[in-house]
Amino acid sequence: MTVLVLSGGGLWAAAGIGAAAALRDMDVSVDAYVGSSAGALVGVLLALGHTPETLADVAGSWKSSPVQPAWHAWAASLLHAHLPLALATSARLWERLSGLLQDQDWSDLGTPVWVVATSLSQRQALVFGPREPERLDVGNRMHLSWGGRTLSLAAALRASTAVPGLFPPVSAAGQVLVDGGVVDDYPVDVAAWVGASYIIGVWVDEPPGWTLPRSGHLGHLAMASLSTMIRELSVVRQHQIAIPRVDIRIEMQNGHRVFNRMGDIIELGYHLTRDHARDILEGQDRRA
């Protein structure tokens, strides 16, 4: 089973759309998707049968951020002298995506997809998907927990993309769930867990060389520390997986506010995947 693994990375995860187009043009078939955070969203949309061109058109039509400050939550919280759970609301994001998701659920997937969230209650990655994992040894070694279909597809996506502090967590089945990228941003271990024999991965990675801005504050330090933790966890997890794999590493540039560059990011994903064509096709041939 060839699995396309899509990491988180905010808007940069749209590079996975370009990667999917390149794989199609190279006649490389993808049997399943595994995604975390924004990568989970891209994987689900592809698994529902939307073409890369359709997704690129939708992404290109977004001229403004769908993230809105949670003013009502802030006002209500301050009235009670405490801080809100999130700085923003993702309601507009899901409104924009409603035409693509259309209340679809796990049974509507044309291709299997597994979605990774982080359970703050269990302190580990929690995976939702249509089929149970095949390699229990991987799950035990990598400390993965199985959520199955206990959440709807939409709820699993909301949980997987619930960036702590930015969006509110998802509370379901007695658990508090947040962004899958917190503990498993590039979930190649999940792909192995669900039975992958060959992995093609799109890994949106933070560039090295970070420095504290001249007007730096605790927010900069907190975000840089979180990014460092996420990256190191990703690297450690990658080293534990011996399944044949091609990593398409995409280095994030200019932060997350890049709505005017969505087309460029998708094109970058396409061309970087084509740059790996020889390795990808050789791996596909060995698998066959």
Side-chain angles (χ1 to χ4, degrees), residues 8 14 19 38 51 66 91 100 102 106 109 118 164 166 195 207 226 245 260 272 274 278 281 288:
T51 67
L100 295 174
Q102 296 180 336
W106 301 104
L109 294 169
T118 297
L166 180 63
L226 179 62
R245 185 177 87 241
N260 61 327
L272 286 179
R274 293 302 299 248
R278 182 174 178 179
L281 293 173

Side-chain angles (χ1 to χ4, degrees), residues 176-251:
V176 180
L177 306 174
V178 296
D179 195 297
V182 171
V183 295
D184 205 349
D185 189 53
Y186 183 38
V188 293
D189 54 337
V190 175
W193 193 35
V194 300
S197 57
Y198 180 46
I199 296 171
I200 303 168
V202 179
W203 180 27
V204 178
D205 192 18
E206 293 278 356
W210 183 83
T211 57
L212 185 66
R214 297 184 75 180
S215 56
H217 50 70
L218 62 87
H220 291 114
L221 286 174
M223 288 303 299
S225 299
L226 179 62
S227 295
T228 301
M229 179 192 72
I230 288 172
R231 187 186 192 281
E232 284 303 292
L233 283 172
S234 294
V235 171
V236 168
R237 287 180 179 273
Q238 289 176 54
H239 288 170
Q240 302 300 313
I241 302 303
I243 292 171
R245 185 177 87 241
V246 175
D247 297 315
I248 303 162
R249 181 178 176 273
I250 295 175
E251 192 169 280

Side-chain angles (χ1 to χ4, degrees), residues 3 7 12 29 50 52 61 65 86 102 115 133-134 160 176 180 210:
V3 177
S7 81
W12 284 89
S29 60
H50 298 295
S61 69
S65 172
Q102 296 180 336
V115 173
E134 296 183 12
S160 184
V176 180
W210 183 83

Side-chain angles (χ1 to χ4, degrees), residues 5 16 31 38 46 72 77 82 98 112 129 142-143 155 158 167 195 202 213 220 239 267 271:
V5 175
D31 301 311
L46 290 168
H72 293 297
S77 296
H82 64 77
S98 61
M142 304 307 297
H143 200 224
R158 287 178 181 269
F167 298 137
V202 179
H220 291 114
H239 288 170
E267 187 173 350
H271 289 296

